[in-house]
């Protein structure tokens, strides 16, 4: 089987890892506790195979091997400090602006071209499991993967606890023909891995939105009118979707550039597969924009239903106030201290007045109920 036919199988496992609890997800969230260095892994690849050495390689040693015998080096770092990254940046001749962005993090997804390297920023998205969506629920958690792509090196800098690339590295190592294409094959694999994560998170967020939508439009227990849900829950979900959109939307243009414009550092056989990544990313972007519009509609509908419910309550209060006004008026009239009042000394005056009062109250109640006020 050729490298091109293997490409999709390598970067996309046949069974997509779900983000739900019942299927489980494992993440490599920390660097090796035995090593204080920010370097998670450093390896030399030659002819698509990892070059084995008797001891772990430092970035400087790995680069010397590459310059002497060929191949490329892939270095993975996790949240390096400025001092930890300075030596690597100097060894590989990385541009100072890109180095500053890689160390400080919190960057917008982008693609920047320098003389001998490409600098790419990806936002990783992790779905945060929760039993029930509340006003304080965190739905998505973001991280960053920054990639330096050179002729004979590939450097990844991760920020955040999610988005480990260890499993992806192992899958790529199982396909020597693909890795033989060099750093651009690794860049495509990471881009596709990140976008696949977006798709899985979008499916999970869709479930949350469906749950809120069902609650908003489900009939209430009184009068068939929904009493609405807590608007803070909808607003919190809308904020999480906005964070999701900030990760997805800016990345579409870089993926289109990688798929459309010839670049020295991107293998032509790999470049065409960036179109597939850009296509999937565009689909996720449309889905996220749809989430935002749908949540706006749900929020407006919820507020409208809450307003209708309040109006209904006010009508009932007004109706009962009208009924109570009859005995109040009668009691007020006969509570006045006038000597000559009709039926004041009549022995049937009390039962007659009480009967008239009850009859009036029942008549008003029947009329209001027939008109839907009670």
């Amino acid at each position: 089987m050729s490298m091109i036919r293997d490409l999709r199988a390598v970067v996309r496992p046949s069974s997509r890892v779900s983000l739900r609890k019942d299927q489980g997800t494992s993440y490599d969230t920390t660097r090796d506790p035995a090593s204080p260095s920010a370097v998670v892994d450093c390896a030399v690849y030659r002819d698509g195979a990892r070059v084995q050495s008797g001891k772990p390689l430092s970035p400087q040693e790995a680069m010397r091997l590459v310059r002497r015998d060929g191949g490329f080096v892939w270095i993975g770092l996790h949240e390096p400090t400025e001092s930890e990254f300075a030596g690597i940046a100097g060894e590989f001749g990385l541009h100072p602006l890109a180095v500053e962005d890689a160390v400080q993090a919190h960057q917008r997804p982008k693609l920047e071209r320098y003389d001998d390297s490409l600098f790419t920023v990806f936002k990783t998205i992790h779905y945060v499991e929760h039993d029930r969506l509340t006003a304080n629920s965190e739905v998505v958690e973001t991280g960053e993967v920054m990639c330096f792509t050179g002729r004979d090196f590939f450097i990844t800098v991760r920020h955040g606890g999610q988005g480990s690339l260890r499993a992806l590295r192992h899958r790529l190592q199982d396909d020597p023909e693909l890795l033989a294409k060099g750093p651009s094959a690794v860049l495509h694999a990471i881009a596709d891995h990140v976008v696949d994560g977006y798709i899985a998170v979008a499916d999970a967020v869709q479930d949350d939105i469906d749950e809120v939508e069902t609650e908003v439009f489900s009939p209430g227990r009184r009068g068939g009118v929904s009493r609405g849900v807590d608007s803070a829950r909808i607003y919190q979900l809308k904020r999480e979707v906005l964070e999701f959109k900030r990760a997805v939307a800016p990345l579409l243009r870089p993926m289109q550039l990688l798929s459309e414009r010839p670049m020295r550092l991107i293998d032509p056989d790999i470049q065409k597969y960036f179109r597939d990544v850009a296509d999937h990313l565009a689909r996720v972007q449309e889905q996220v924009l749809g989430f935002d519009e749908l949540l706006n509609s749900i929020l407006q509908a919820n507020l409208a239903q809450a307003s209708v419910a309040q109006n209904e309550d006010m009508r009932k209060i007004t109706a009962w106030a009208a009924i109570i006004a009859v005995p109040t008026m009668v009691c007020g009239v006969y509570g006045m201290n006038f000597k000559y009042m009709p039926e004041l000394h009549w022995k049937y005056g009390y039962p007659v007045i009480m009967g008239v009062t009850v009859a009036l109250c029942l008549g008003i109640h029947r009329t209001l109920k027939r008109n839907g006020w009670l």
Side-chain angles (χ1 to χ4, degrees):
M1 177 182 262
S2 67
M3 180 280 299
I4 297 301
R5 288 198 301 270
D6 286 340
L7 184 60
R8 188 182 301 274
V10 171
V11 298
R12 287 194 188 135
S14 57
S15 57
R16 188 185 303 277
V17 178
S18 173
L19 299 178
R20 292 299 186 183
K21 287 182 178 178
D22 54 356
Q23 297 182 0
T25 305
S26 61
Y27 295 92
D28 175 23
T29 59
T30 60
R31 64 185 66 165
D32 185 358
S35 173
S37 172
V39 178
V40 177
D41 199 354
C42 177
V44 173
Y45 297 90
R46 189 176 302 120
D47 298 325
R50 181 167 179 154
V51 176
Q52 302 296 330
S53 60
K55 62 177 182 177
L57 293 174
S58 69
Q60 292 75 17
E61 292 171 338
M63 197 59 195
R64 282 196 292 268
L65 286 176
V66 168
R67 288 169 179 167
R68 186 186 68 187
D69 302 323
F72 74 95
V73 57
W74 180 0
I75 303 172
L77 301 99
H78 181 248
E79 297 184 353
T81 63
E82 186 175 354
S83 59
E84 288 175 326
F85 199 38
I88 297 176
E91 181 70 27
F92 293 93
L94 304 180
H95 196 279
L97 292 176
V99 171
E100 181 181 359
D101 289 345
V103 172
Q104 293 182 355
H106 304 295
Q107 301 298 317
R108 189 174 184 265
K110 60 184 177 180
L111 171 67
E112 294 180 345
R113 288 176 287 184
Y114 296 99
D115 294 336
D116 298 318
S117 65
L118 291 175
F119 178 59
T120 315
V121 178
F122 299 96
K123 286 279 191 182
T124 58
I125 299 292
H126 167 62
Y127 180 77
V128 180
E129 297 289 351
H130 46 267
D131 295 330
R132 186 176 183 274
L133 184 66
T134 67
N136 299 316
S137 293
E138 186 178 14
V139 179
V140 296
E141 185 179 53
T142 60
E144 291 178 63
V145 177
M146 304 177 182
C147 303
F148 294 88
T149 307
R151 181 180 58 83
D152 51 8
F153 66 86
F154 190 83
I155 302 172
T156 57
V157 180
R158 288 196 302 113
H159 290 270
Q162 312 299 334
S164 171
L165 301 175
R166 181 170 297 176
L168 178 64
R169 184 189 286 260
H170 291 164
R171 290 202 302 273
L172 287 171
Q173 290 174 172
D174 291 337
D175 191 340
E177 192 174 358
L178 175 60
L179 270 181
K181 290 295 181 179
S184 60
V186 183
L187 178 61
H188 169 268
I190 291 176
D192 195 68
H193 173 73
V194 170
V195 173
D196 275 359
Y198 293 166
I199 295 173
V201 172
D203 292 340
V205 172
Q206 178 70 67
D207 293 340
D208 285 332
I209 295 177
D210 290 344
E211 178 184 343
V212 171
E213 186 179 22
T214 300
E215 291 187 29
V216 169
F217 292 102
S218 294
R221 290 177 296 177
R222 293 187 292 171
V225 178
S226 173
R227 313 305 293 181
V229 300
D230 185 7
S231 297
R233 291 174 55 196
I234 305 175
Y235 185 71
Q236 174 66 14
L237 186 56
K238 184 174 173 60
R239 290 189 62 183
E240 296 295 303
V241 168
L242 178 61
E243 187 174 358
F244 192 3
K245 183 167 66 174
R246 287 173 179 168
V248 173
L251 187 59
L252 184 58
R253 183 56 181 165
M255 291 299 101
Q256 291 173 340
L257 290 175
L258 287 171
S259 65
E260 296 170 358
R261 292 189 181 180
M263 298 183 185
R264 287 188 299 109
L265 298 173
I266 304 298
D267 189 285
D269 289 336
I270 298 296
Q271 185 174 32
K272 64 185 70 174
Y273 284 90
F274 279 103
R275 299 175 192 168
D276 185 59
V277 178
D279 180 65
H280 286 179
L281 185 63
R283 182 164 65 89
V284 174
Q285 183 184 23
E286 292 175 359
Q287 194 172 4
V288 173
L289 292 176
F291 290 163
D292 193 36
E293 294 177 1
L294 181 58
L295 285 171
N296 283 335
S297 300
I298 292 174
L299 183 60
Q300 292 174 2
N302 186 64
L303 294 176
Q305 288 180 343
S307 178
V308 169
Q310 291 175 353
N311 290 338
E312 183 181 352
D313 292 338
M314 288 303 299
R315 287 199 306 177
K316 291 182 179 181
I317 293 172
T318 303
W320 284 110
I323 295 173
I324 295 174
V326 174
T328 301
M329 181 188 66
V330 173
C331 293
V333 170
Y334 281 90
M336 293 184 292
N337 296 320
F338 290 108
K339 181 176 180 181
Y340 300 103
M341 294 184 66
E343 295 84 31
L344 187 62
H345 301 288
W346 185 34
K347 65 177 181 178
Y348 300 110
Y350 178 77
V352 169
I353 292 299
M354 293 301 296
V356 171
T357 302
V358 171
L360 289 174
C361 290
L362 291 176
I364 295 173
H365 182 275
R366 182 178 179 182
T367 302
L368 292 175
K369 190 171 184 179
R370 186 170 59 247
N371 293 331
W373 283 59
L374 288 174

